[in-house]
Amino acid sequence: MSLPSGVMTTGGGEPTADWSRDESPCELTGPQRAGAAPPVGQSTRLAKFHVPEVVFGPGSLAELGHCALRLGARRPFLVTDPGLIEAGWVDEAVGHLRRVGLRPVVWHDVTPNPKDREVEAGFQRYADSGSDVIIGVGGGSVIDAAKGVAILSGNGGRILDYEGVDQVVQPIPPTVMVPSTSGTGADVSQFAVITDTTEHIKITIVSRTLVPEISVIDPRLLTTMPDWLNAATGLDALTHAIEAFVSRAHNPLTDTHALHAVRLITGNLVRTQLEPKDFGARLAMAQAALEAGMAFTNAILGATHAMSHQVGGLLDAPHGVVNGVLLPHVIRFNAEAWPQRFVALGEAAGIATAGVEPYEVAARLADLVRALADDVGVPKGLASLGVADSDVPVLARTTLKDACLATNPRDVQMHDVEVLFREAL
């Protein structure tokens, strides 16, 4: 399984965490002839960091019209869902678009874990309406559906045709995303996850074309999330940060954001459950979701997400809840091969690490994640979500095909995935 062409690793998949401390003997050189091989060691110091323009802060939704206008919009296609309409955010967004002279078209037939047929229906509505710039106002499902509409607009065919890495080869319409949850990272990522309703699996589409042009992050939108969604997306963001930090494709640019996201989430997620309108906690979680998203879109993810996608496809279960159940088990599994990477994560989460063996730090981190999941009301096992032991062989088989597995820090075989799923039941 290949990595996206925009992802670069440093040599053997374990890049130096901080280039400023690199003690290799290689020295930087001056100008070279084009095509000449770089000095030994320098070719392994490459990283790429692809993110959208970000407009961040309370009240930033008011900038939506100007953002769309700058991208050439005349008739923007606004993708959302009934919950966002009921909460009043769509009326506000449409008002900001109309204020600058735009004529938006609103499409809201999106359900959680967006389905292939929904995306294709959305594209038909987009084409029939003569729309241009695509705007997503909502959570990860809405944003993934908006990306799916954009893919079909620029490339044709069926959305399932684009499963995998770098299969979207033609340009897509400009996109602006406005996240209403603090966790999916879809508003800054090169990912779209769509449910195949025939096979009952989720497919992962990875392409640099899917990174939106602009992400508008207004923490006010987070205050209308139900508690279960706040918990699910917060744990999703934590999973993004942890998996990005230990990914084979991590680098110092992603590491900084991943660690800061872990610190913000472990310090603020429970506060947002107890005090939904707490300004500081909401701002912190909005930033955490952004930073975790910037980390994972460049470093990609790992086994937790590869497994979670399959459960979501089978049962239409909340993605972040499944992550919260699986993550502690995957941390322990990965730490058996690469425990040192979990020390910095433990420190970011507030775990005392001085004099503690790296694997023990990882084990304590796994326990902390499970305790956080308990605090926000996430079930202890997959069985409570409807997963049966008889589902495990199929889930394991489809997990091995998921693009996120390519960057997991430890090689994973079918037996490993089956054991992890059964431990998590």
Side-chain angles (χ1 to χ4, degrees):
M1 188 181 296
S2 61
L3 298 180
S5 56
V7 173
M8 300 181 182
T9 62
T10 60
E14 297 187 15
T16 306
D18 183 350
W19 288 331
S20 67
R21 298 179 183 177
D22 190 351
E23 298 177 356
S24 65
C26 181
E27 295 181 355
L28 295 178
T29 62
Q32 291 183 303
R33 176 175 53 83
V40 175
Q42 287 193 18
S43 64
T44 64
R45 302 300 189 268
L46 300 180
K48 196 159 190 167
F49 197 76
H50 192 179
V51 293
E53 174 186 336
V54 175
V55 182
F56 183 97
S60 58
L61 185 59
E63 297 299 312
L64 181 61
H66 297 293
C67 291
L69 202 61
R70 285 193 285 114
L71 296 177
R74 293 295 179 268
R75 192 169 178 77
F77 190 71
L78 193 155
V79 179
T80 190
D81 65 32
L84 271 294
I85 293 174
E86 183 179 352
W89 298 118
V90 174
D91 281 346
E92 180 176 337
V94 167
H96 293 312
L97 293 169
R98 288 178 174 161
R99 184 167 54 88
V100 298
L102 301 179
R103 297 175 296 116
V105 174
V106 176
W107 177 68
H108 59 77
D109 295 330
V110 182
T111 60
N113 301 311
K115 318 299 185 288
D116 47 8
R117 60 175 180 265
E118 294 171 351
V119 171
E120 288 163 11
F123 164 65
Q124 193 60 54
R125 177 79 174 96
Y126 173 84
D128 292 345
S129 67
S131 295
D132 39 53
V133 171
I134 296 175
I135 298 171
V137 178
S141 294
V142 163
I143 294 173
D144 281 353
K147 290 179 179 181
V149 171
I151 290 169
L152 295 181
S153 174
N155 294 264
R158 299 176 62 247
I159 194 61
L160 301 180
D161 297 339
Y162 300 99
E163 179 179 10
V165 176
D166 290 338
Q167 300 303 306
V168 182
V169 296
Q170 299 299 326
I172 65 174
T175 57
V176 183
M177 301 304 177
V178 184
S180 63
T181 64
S182 50
T184 72
D187 57 301
V188 295
S189 82
Q190 60 176 321
F191 284 69
V193 181
I194 307 295
T195 299
D196 179 337
T197 55
T198 300
E199 298 297 328
H200 301 289
I201 61 173
K202 284 186 176 183
I203 68 155
T204 303
I205 303 171
V206 188
S207 170
R208 285 173 292 170
T209 63
L210 299 184
V211 177
E213 273 66 38
I214 305 174
S215 174
V216 178
I217 303 171
D218 189 336
R220 293 182 306 133
L221 274 68
L222 309 183
T223 61
T224 54
M225 277 190 292
D227 285 348
W228 73 265
L229 185 57
N230 184 57
T233 56
L235 290 172
D236 193 18
L238 182 62
T239 309
H240 292 156
I242 290 174
E243 292 209 299
F245 190 77
V246 301
S247 162
R248 294 178 190 262
H250 82 97
N251 64 63
L253 303 179
T254 60
D255 286 353
T256 298
H257 291 292
L259 291 175
H260 193 224
V262 169
R263 186 171 294 112
L264 290 173
I265 294 163
T266 54
N268 291 278
L269 177 56
V270 173
R271 284 175 59 198
T272 61
Q273 291 284 96
L274 299 175
E275 302 176 54
K277 296 188 183 299
D278 183 289
F279 178 86
R282 285 297 185 194
L283 204 63
M285 285 302 300
Q287 183 174 343
L290 169 62
E291 293 201 65
M294 292 192 298
F296 92 78
T297 192
N298 289 283
I300 316 301
L301 294 159
T304 306
H305 270 79
M307 296 169 67
S308 180
H309 290 157
Q310 315 320 311
V311 177
L314 179 68
L315 300 173
D316 206 20
H319 172 66
V321 172
V322 181
N323 278 341
V325 174
L326 288 170
L327 181 58
H329 301 280
V330 175
I331 287 173
R332 294 186 184 95
F333 173 80
N334 284 334
E336 290 178 9
W338 198 7
Q340 294 81 5
R341 285 297 290 173
F342 290 92
V343 174
L345 287 168
E347 290 175 347
I351 296 170
T353 62
V356 181
E357 290 296 319
Y359 183 82
E360 178 59 26
V361 173
R364 293 180 187 180
L365 178 64
D367 291 342
L368 183 149
V369 171
R370 184 57 255 176
L372 182 59
D374 290 338
D375 288 342
V376 296
V378 166
K380 290 188 179 297
L382 296 177
S384 62
L385 300 175
V387 179
D389 186 79
S390 58
D391 296 322
V392 168
V394 173
L395 292 171
R397 186 169 66 250
T398 55
T399 294
L400 293 180
K401 300 176 183 178
D402 194 284
C404 292
L405 213 56
T407 45
N408 193 70
R410 181 178 176 184
D411 291 339
V412 181
Q413 307 301 324
M414 173 79 83
H415 173 72
D416 300 321
V417 182
E418 290 181 345
V419 169
L420 285 168
F421 269 125
R422 289 196 166 99
E423 287 177 351
L425 284 176

